[in-house]
Amino acid sequence: MLSAAAFDDSAATYDDAFTESTIGRLLRAAVWRRLDAQFRAGDRVLELNCGTGADAIHLAQRGVHVLATDVSEAMLAVTRRKVAQAGMEELVQVAKLDIADLAAWGSSLRSETRDQRSQDDDSSPSRDPISDLRPPVSGLLSNFGGLNCVADLAGVAQALAGLLKPGGRAILCIMGPLAPWEWAWYLRQGQAGKAFRRLRRDGVPWRGLTIRYPSIAALRRAFAPMFTVQRVSAIGALLPPSYVEPWAARHPALLARLNRIERRLETAWPLPWLADHYLIEMVLH
């Protein structure tokens, strides 16, 4: 089970610190370009780790139905308020979901048949954790590192395969292990431990969680039995990470130029492998 408290504490400040920051806007706009390319009006999308609802509202404004989920009640409260303010209640359903429960359910699918699962009671760990909430979904979204909080990516892959319609699309934004901007930023401050923290094999402790940084190859392996990767792009390779916002504010012209170059080259080697996040787009077999 994920620690909701880790995200509850960030709910009130998340939009100011990231969503509405200069860097955050550019990074999210890069993701939205791909959401707009993959999802159409009338699609039903399950969003994991929805945070404060920015992506759900963006999709809803384009006519996409979204089931926005998160483990944090504080994040969900912000999402509900913003959905109501945007008048999107008919298109956005908000519900609590722990990705760790989803992973556990997916892991159990590898050893149980669907008929066996239907006989389980509500307390069974193999029960679909959103069975009472969802219609079948045609798309899946996890933005800005939600899946970095989960150890069992293969379990998540199995679960998502069980929720998607055939041919359904998954768009996942993952923090990768190689981040030259992070190396340079923290080495300049004499903090080598922080600079290379993503390379730790056992992950990095953070507010009661363990954050892991799977490579693109590792993510492919976890999802390969059921999903085909169609596209991988960089989200923050030339653009700096959000904690460099004070630097970005002093160099707006350079930041804009870096963004233009990154968008043109976002799928070109080696940018996705050297980005703060990589965006991987997959289709269910």
Side-chain angles (χ1 to χ4, degrees):
M1 177 176 292
L2 298 185
S3 172
F7 303 101
D8 288 342
D9 293 343
S10 302
T13 59
Y14 181 80
D15 284 338
D16 287 339
F18 179 71
T19 305
E20 301 301 332
S21 70
T22 304
I23 295 172
R25 286 176 182 270
L26 292 175
L27 297 177
R28 197 177 292 276
V31 176
W32 283 357
R33 289 174 63 241
R34 299 310 306 164
L35 298 185
D36 294 349
Q38 291 283 14
F39 300 138
R40 299 286 184 268
D43 284 347
R44 295 187 177 276
V45 172
L46 169 63
E47 182 183 8
L48 308 177
N49 55 277
C50 70
T52 57
D55 300 321
I57 292 172
H58 173 78
L59 288 170
Q61 288 171 338
R62 301 184 64 255
V64 177
H65 296 263
V66 184
L67 173 54
T69 70
D70 203 286
V71 70
S72 166
E73 287 286 6
M75 289 285 192
L76 293 175
V78 176
T79 296
R80 290 188 182 97
R81 183 173 67 251
K82 290 166 67 173
V83 168
Q85 290 172 347
M88 293 294 170
E89 296 98 324
E90 292 187 3
L91 287 169
V92 181
Q93 181 183 2
V94 181
K96 186 173 183 178
L97 175 64
D98 188 337
I99 301 177
D101 290 342
L102 197 66
W105 176 64
S107 180
S108 74
L109 296 183
R110 294 196 290 265
S111 59
E112 298 180 8
T113 67
R114 186 169 295 276
D115 287 341
Q116 287 173 324
R117 292 196 306 274
S118 67
Q119 298 172 9
D120 291 337
D121 62 27
D122 287 355
S123 64
S124 170
S126 65
R127 181 175 179 267
D128 178 348
I130 61 170
S131 59
D132 297 331
L133 300 173
R134 65 177 177 90
V137 294
S138 50
L140 297 160
L141 168 64
S142 175
N143 205 1
F144 294 123
L147 293 184
N148 289 86
C149 302
V150 181
D152 185 9
L153 287 175
V156 171
Q158 186 74 56
L160 297 184
L163 299 175
L164 262 181
K165 293 179 178 179
R169 300 169 304 284
I171 299 181
L172 312 176
C173 188
I174 311 291
M175 292 184 288
L178 306 177
W181 254 108
E182 189 160 280
W183 302 341
W185 184 258
Y186 285 116
L187 284 176
R188 185 178 180 181
Q189 299 177 37
Q191 300 182 60
K194 280 191 174 182
F196 300 110
R197 58 188 171 180
R198 300 190 186 203
L199 300 177
R200 297 177 189 172
R201 179 171 298 181
D202 297 329
V204 179
W206 178 78
R207 298 185 181 183
L209 301 174
T210 298
I211 308 299
R212 297 171 174 83
Y213 300 90
S215 67
I216 294 172
L219 200 287
R220 282 179 181 267
R221 287 194 297 270
F223 282 77
M226 296 142 295
F227 290 87
T228 298
V229 174
Q230 294 184 313
R231 190 178 192 272
V232 185
S233 56
I235 305 294
L238 303 181
L239 285 172
S242 57
Y243 50 77
V244 187
E245 181 71 16
W247 176 91
R250 296 193 301 272
H251 302 88
L254 177 56
L255 190 71
R257 185 179 182 185
L258 291 174
N259 183 56
R260 289 193 298 271
I261 297 171
E262 182 173 306
R263 297 288 64 78
R264 288 200 300 269
L265 302 177
E266 62 185 13
T267 62
W269 187 89
L271 289 194
W273 287 262
L274 299 176
D276 187 35
H277 294 75
Y278 57 86
L279 191 70
I280 190 162
E281 302 173 35
M282 301 178 288
V283 63
L284 181 66
H285 293 320

